[in-house]
Every structure is written in C-alpha cells, then in structure tokens.
Amino acid sequence: MPKIYARRRTGILAVLTGLMASAALVNAPSASAALPTPVSATTARTYLSQLTVATENRTGYSRDLFPHWITISGTCNTRETVLKRDGTNVVTDSSCASTSGSWYSPYDGATWTAASDLDIDHLVPLAEAWDSGASKWTTAQRQAFANDLTRPQLIAVTDDVNQAKGDQDPATWMPSQSTYRCTYVRAWVQVKYYYNLSVDSAEKSALTNYLAAC
C-alpha cells in the first residue's frame, strides 16, 4: 500500500482540511507516474557496454546553462506538462498551474495531493550531464536535454526526495523503492546513451550490478 503524506499545516481549519483531504485520498486510486517506458534491461546492458568511461569534470557548471521549464504548449511549461502527465485527475487553471490532483512518487512510494509537494526530477541530473559531456554542447542542446519529454528523463517525485538525490549518480543514490530501481537504471542508461554522455568507473560498476538483477 502506498505511503500517503500531508504537509504540516497551521491553524485548526487547515488541519481539518488536511485530514479531510487525506481521508479522501485513502479511498482514491493511487496515481502512477507516466515516465516514458525505458528500453529493456537487455538493451540497457548493450547500451552501457558502449558508453565511454571517463573521469567527470564539474569545471564551469551552472544550472543556468540549461534553460529549463520552457513553454511546451499554450501557457503550459515543461514542469506543468509533466505534472499533468504524471498525475491522476489533475485540474489546472487558466495559467496551466495544477490546482488539484493526485501524484504517486515512485522513488519513495508516497502519494501527494498538492503540486507544491512535487519536484520534476531530471533523472540524469543537469550537473551530471555537464560532468559527462554536456559542457561541450550548445545552449540549444542543453535546453533540449533539460526539457526532454520524449526520453525517460523527467518525472514528478516527492520534492524532499529529489533534493536529497541532488546531482548524485547510481553509485551513490538510488530510489528507496527497490521495485523501481530496475526502471530507474534502464532509464538512466538510455538517456546517457541517447545523448552520448560518458560514465565514470563507479557509476558503470553500479549500473552493471543493478542491471544484472533486472
């Protein structure tokens, strides 16, 4: 059964409102994140064998070098588009902001009913991409990477979990939900392969071990 959380609120009315929302959520079906399906484990293993192994270099990195949350359609930017894609019964206002819905975070198994409790994770972090080849890209290429809705690169997850992940690769961070780890590493390898990004030795070793169990 998924874990269901509600952010701490202040005030009696807010507490009651939160309890009512939680009760409704218990009786509602859990949302499922709609990350584009990654390649198979077999294909991921083949891709991994073809990735260049190299030492990472963070010199010159700035998140601003990856323009993100660009307009996708109408008033909807990338974040809002992923929130609508990954949620259930998502309602948006005229500016495309999500005003209600349900989101399941596959990294930790939590379900949320407020969009503010979610981050859109770059599965391969922007800094990790920079370290492994994106420093040589044009700004347009980095923008495409940061807003890629076609590859399994963007997913709505619990904000605290995303912040704890930071810019770590699978050698030092993996989703706490062990049942999602195979999906995660398959997606990681697919994105790195598509964008011709390198892996460091510890990262390749971790990916090899996780894929062997898929």
Side-chain angles (χ1 to χ4, degrees):
M1 181 176 180
K3 292 172 281 188
I4 298 172
Y5 297 88
R7 288 285 192 243
R8 185 171 298 170
R9 303 167 184 266
T10 57
I12 294 174
L13 180 59
V15 170
L16 290 174
T17 301
L19 289 172
M20 291 171 64
S22 296
L25 183 56
V26 168
N27 296 319
S30 296
S32 283
L35 182 79
T37 302
V39 295
S40 68
T42 299
T43 299
R45 285 190 284 269
T46 299
Y47 284 178
L48 180 59
S49 70
Q50 297 174 25
L51 295 181
T52 299
V53 178
T55 303
E56 296 182 348
N57 186 348
R58 185 64 57 89
T59 303
Y61 170 72
S62 169
R63 189 174 175 85
D64 294 338
L65 294 170
F66 292 79
H68 52 285
W69 304 171
I70 61 171
T71 300
I72 299 299
S73 176
T75 61
C76 300
N77 66 22
T78 314
R79 171 184 164 82
E80 293 157 347
T81 300
V82 176
L83 284 172
K84 288 203 295 183
R85 182 198 72 185
D86 288 5
T88 295
N89 299 323
V90 177
V91 176
T92 58
D93 61 20
S94 59
S95 65
C96 202
S98 298
T99 57
S100 64
S102 177
W103 291 269
Y104 173 74
S105 169
Y107 287 3
D108 57 332
T111 297
W112 302 98
T113 55
S116 59
D117 290 328
L118 296 142
D119 280 352
I120 306 305
D121 180 40
H122 289 95
L123 194 136
V124 174
L126 303 182
E128 168 69 23
W130 177 272
D131 296 351
S132 50
S135 60
K136 300 179 179 65
W137 295 352
T138 64
T139 299
Q141 288 173 313
R142 288 192 287 267
Q143 176 174 296
F145 176 83
N147 299 277
D148 189 349
L149 294 166
T150 303
R151 262 62 55 182
Q153 165 66 351
L154 297 172
I155 185 169
V157 297
T158 303
D159 53 2
D160 293 346
V161 172
N162 183 52
Q163 290 152 28
K165 172 187 171 181
D167 57 11
Q168 298 180 81
D169 68 32
T172 56
W173 188 92
M174 285 290 284
S176 60
Q177 291 283 95
S178 59
T179 54
Y180 197 72
R181 290 176 181 172
C182 185
T183 300
Y184 186 82
V185 294
R186 285 159 46 213
W188 183 283
V189 171
Q190 180 180 346
V191 171
K192 283 231 160 173
Y193 181 83
Y194 179 84
Y195 285 99
N196 196 28
L197 296 170
S198 62
V199 290
D200 64 37
S201 56
E203 177 187 355
K204 182 171 183 178
S205 178
L207 289 167
T208 299
N209 291 336
Y210 282 115
L211 283 172
C214 288

